[in-house]
Amino acid sequence: MDVIYTKSSREYKGNEVPEGPYRLEGVRRIGRKVVPELDAESLAKLVHSSDHLEKIESAGKHNRMLAEVFTDSVTYPAALKSVMLAAKAAREGHFACTRPPGHHATEDTAKGFCFLNNIAIVSRMLSNDGKRVCIFDIDGHQGDGTDHIFFNAGEILFISIHQEFAYPYFYLGHDPAAGYDVTVDHRGENTAEGLHYNMPVPENSGDDVLLDFTDRMLPVIESFDPDVIGISAGFDGYHQDSLLNLNYSQSGYHEFGKRIASLGNELFGLLEGGYHSDVVECIEAMVAGVNGTEYTPEDELSESSEEVFERYREYAERRI
C-alpha cells in the first residue's frame, strides 16, 4: 500500500481551519503525487444525482456556503479530483489522501466538509465489477452518509466506530436523553439487514477500545468474505484532535493496520477527518501496519479508564 495524493488534495483550501491544507503538511515525505485521469463525474453518478453535482458546482461559482464550507471555483474540481484519487487507490490498493473528504455526504446532501462520498462511490464501482466490499470506518465521527447510502442495499458490509453524542448527532435515532446512542442497534434494512455495525464509544476511549472492537469485527468480516476492504480512515480519534475527545495514538493506528491486514484481503484506504497537525504521521503509522514494514511510533498504546471501557463493553456485547 502506497500513500498517494494530488496537487489538489494537498492544496485545496477547504475551511482552512478545521478542514484545511495544513492537514497534509509534509505528505511529500511519505507519499507520491499522482495525476489520475478518470471520468470523475460518471463515477460520482454511481451514487449521486446530476442535481447534486450541479448544486456543488453552482455553489462554487457563486461562493455560497455548502457542507459548512465557503465554496469557490476550485471546490467542485477538487471534489472530482478526490473521487479520481479514491478510484485509483481502490483499484490499486493504495491509501489516498482524499481532500475534500466524503463520508458524511449522502446521495443528495453535502455536509460535514464532504461534497461527494468517495468511499461509497468507489465501493459501488467495485461492487459493479462483481466484488464484495467491506467498508471499515474508523473516523471519530459516524460515517452517516455512507451508512445512509447502503442502509437498504445489501451489497456492502459497513462498520463504523465513532464517538457517541458527536456529529452527526441525531442521525438514525441518536437520543442523548436516553443516556446512550441507539445507533448501536441499527443493523441495516431490507437486503442490508445485519450488514451494518455502528459502534458508538465514550469520550476518552483509548486504543484498547479501538483494537478490541477491531478484534470483534474480524470474524464478522471473515464471515462476509469480502474481496476488498476499504478503510474510511479519519484520524480525528487521535488524542490531539481539535473536534473530538478520543484518545487514540499513532501506535494504535499502527496496530489497527496490522490487525486488518492479518485477514489477507485486498485493502485500500481513503482519508476522512483528522483536525490536528499529526495527520500525516497517523497515516504513516497505519500504512506501515498494513504493509508490515518496520516502524517505530512516537507514542505508546493508550488505555481507557475502567469506567470508559466497561461502558464500551456493554455496547459491544449488546451489538455484536
Side-chain angles (χ1 to χ4, degrees):
M1 176 182 284
D2 293 341
V3 176
I4 59 174
Y5 64 93
T6 63
K7 180 180 178 181
S8 176
S9 62
R10 195 169 62 83
E11 297 180 359
Y12 161 69
K13 286 186 177 181
N15 271 358
E16 297 288 353
V17 176
E19 207 299 291
Y22 76 94
R23 301 177 60 223
L24 291 180
E25 183 70 32
V27 72
R28 285 177 287 192
R29 177 178 63 81
I30 66 166
R32 59 183 174 90
K33 185 170 74 172
V34 299
V35 185
E37 294 295 340
L38 300 166
D39 184 352
E41 288 190 337
S42 292
L43 284 171
K45 288 176 183 178
L46 294 175
V47 167
H48 301 287
S49 67
S50 295
D51 286 346
H52 180 67
L53 302 188
E54 290 169 6
K55 179 171 60 178
I56 300 167
E57 187 173 22
S58 176
K61 287 179 179 178
H62 297 91
N63 300 115
R64 291 195 295 265
M65 178 170 276
L66 186 66
E68 297 83 61
V69 175
F70 286 107
T71 64
D72 58 25
S73 61
V74 304
T75 301
Y76 184 57
L80 293 177
K81 286 286 188 182
S82 196
V83 170
M84 291 184 208
L85 190 66
K88 182 175 178 64
R91 293 273 193 219
E92 300 178 8
H94 298 315
F95 184 96
C97 297
T98 37
R99 291 191 59 249
H103 75 151
H104 292 307
T106 66
E107 297 96 325
D108 56 7
T109 304
K111 57 194 175 94
F113 317 141
C114 302
F115 301 96
L116 301 174
N117 194 313
N118 302 309
I119 193 77
I121 291 166
V122 299
S123 295
R124 178 69 53 75
M125 174 189 76
L126 294 172
S127 180
N128 287 352
D129 289 344
K131 295 188 175 183
R132 291 172 66 80
V133 182
C134 166
I135 298 171
F136 202 136
D137 190 325
I138 61 169
D139 189 286
H141 300 93
Q142 190 213 15
D144 59 314
T146 315
D147 195 12
H148 183 273
I149 288 164
F150 296 117
F151 202 70
N152 294 285
E155 58 190 294
I156 305 290
L157 174 63
F158 175 76
I159 300 166
S160 177
I161 179 170
H162 49 273
Q163 182 177 312
E164 63 179 347
F165 310 145
Y167 184 91
Y169 306 114
F170 295 98
Y171 179 69
L172 286 181
H174 173 100
D175 185 7
Y180 59 87
D181 185 338
V182 296
T183 59
V184 73
D185 294 317
H186 282 262
R187 304 195 62 174
E189 295 177 349
N190 299 325
T191 57
E193 185 174 356
L195 294 180
H196 287 242
Y197 288 78
N198 284 290
M199 181 55 59
V201 299
E203 290 187 16
N204 300 312
S205 291
D207 295 324
D208 51 350
V209 166
L210 172 63
L211 298 176
D212 182 87
F213 178 68
T214 302
D215 288 343
R216 291 172 185 261
M217 286 292 100
L218 295 182
V220 173
I221 297 171
E222 285 186 302
S223 178
F224 181 74
D225 192 25
D227 297 296
V228 185
I229 299 172
I231 306 168
S232 242
F235 296 103
D236 39 15
Y238 186 59
H239 63 93
Q240 296 278 12
D241 194 76
S242 62
L243 296 186
L244 290 177
N245 296 294
L246 297 173
N247 197 31
Y248 303 161
S249 70
Q250 293 172 36
S251 291
Y253 291 125
H254 183 252
E255 184 62 29
F256 169 80
K258 288 170 59 178
R259 296 190 189 190
I260 203 70
S262 72
L263 290 169
N265 301 84
E266 293 181 24
L267 292 169
F268 70 93
L270 307 183
L271 180 63
E272 301 289 0
Y275 308 103
H276 51 83
S277 60
D278 289 344
V279 171
V280 167
E281 286 73 19
C282 292
I283 295 171
E284 182 181 21
M286 193 196 80
V287 170
V290 168
N291 290 338
T293 54
E294 186 173 346
Y295 174 76
T296 303
E298 296 180 358
D299 50 26
E300 297 180 353
L301 290 172
S302 61
E303 292 189 3
S304 311
S305 69
E306 184 176 343
E307 178 182 1
V308 165
F309 193 85
E310 178 61 23
R311 182 180 176 89
Y312 152 73
R313 189 187 63 80
E314 290 176 359
Y315 282 163
E317 293 188 356
R318 187 173 94 221
R319 179 62 186 84
I320 302 169

